[in-house]
Amino acid sequence: MLYKFKSRVASDLIMLEPNGRQVLEILGKEPGLPGIIEAADALAAVQVLEAAVVREEATRKAAIEEAAAKGEPLPRFEGVSLRQRVVPLIDMLHRSEKAGKEVVWGV
């Protein structure tokens, strides 16, 4: 299953199901259903996504530091970080907010 995010002011953004589900859960939206982020709510959505990125990066850094302090092998993480996954969506949200257009998605 794919999630397709759309805006009238940006190219469509397609995410695989696990990634789209994660992003929607971060935003407090119901995964598996079509939805919308109004232009007025776009900056709040950006802030939520950016806060989630900061949390993930802090968790990864702490895990690395802990392993290094214990002399253990450094942990391995998924190849693509949350930051890399949400940058296109954050850009879409910024553009949509400036143009007064909503972002919608479906599965």
Side-chain angles (χ1 to χ4, degrees):
M1 178 167 60
L2 299 173
Y3 283 91
K4 186 182 236 183
F5 296 85
K6 295 181 174 190
S7 172
R8 292 183 184 166
V9 295
S11 299
D12 291 355
L13 173 62
I14 298 173
M15 290 188 187
L16 296 175
E17 192 275 333
N19 308 119
R21 176 175 295 277
Q22 177 189 23
V23 167
L24 292 176
E25 288 172 351
I26 289 168
L27 291 170
K29 303 292 185 179
E30 183 69 34
L33 299 175
I36 186 169
I37 297 174
E38 298 288 345
D41 300 325
L43 291 182
V46 167
Q47 291 173 344
V48 169
L49 291 170
E50 288 175 343
V53 167
V54 168
R55 283 191 306 274
E56 180 188 75
E57 289 173 349
T59 300
R60 286 181 175 203
K61 182 179 177 185
I64 290 169
E65 290 172 354
E66 183 179 334
K70 292 180 179 179
E72 297 174 350
L74 298 181
R76 292 182 175 234
F77 303 105
E78 184 178 334
V80 178
S81 69
L82 181 60
R83 177 179 297 280
Q84 292 168 305
R85 292 199 189 285
V86 299
V87 163
L89 182 57
I90 288 173
D91 179 61
M92 178 184 279
L93 289 164
H94 277 297
R95 289 178 184 211
S96 297
E97 187 274 331
K98 286 179 184 172
K101 303 294 182 187
E102 66 279 344
V103 173
V104 298
W105 64 87
V107 292

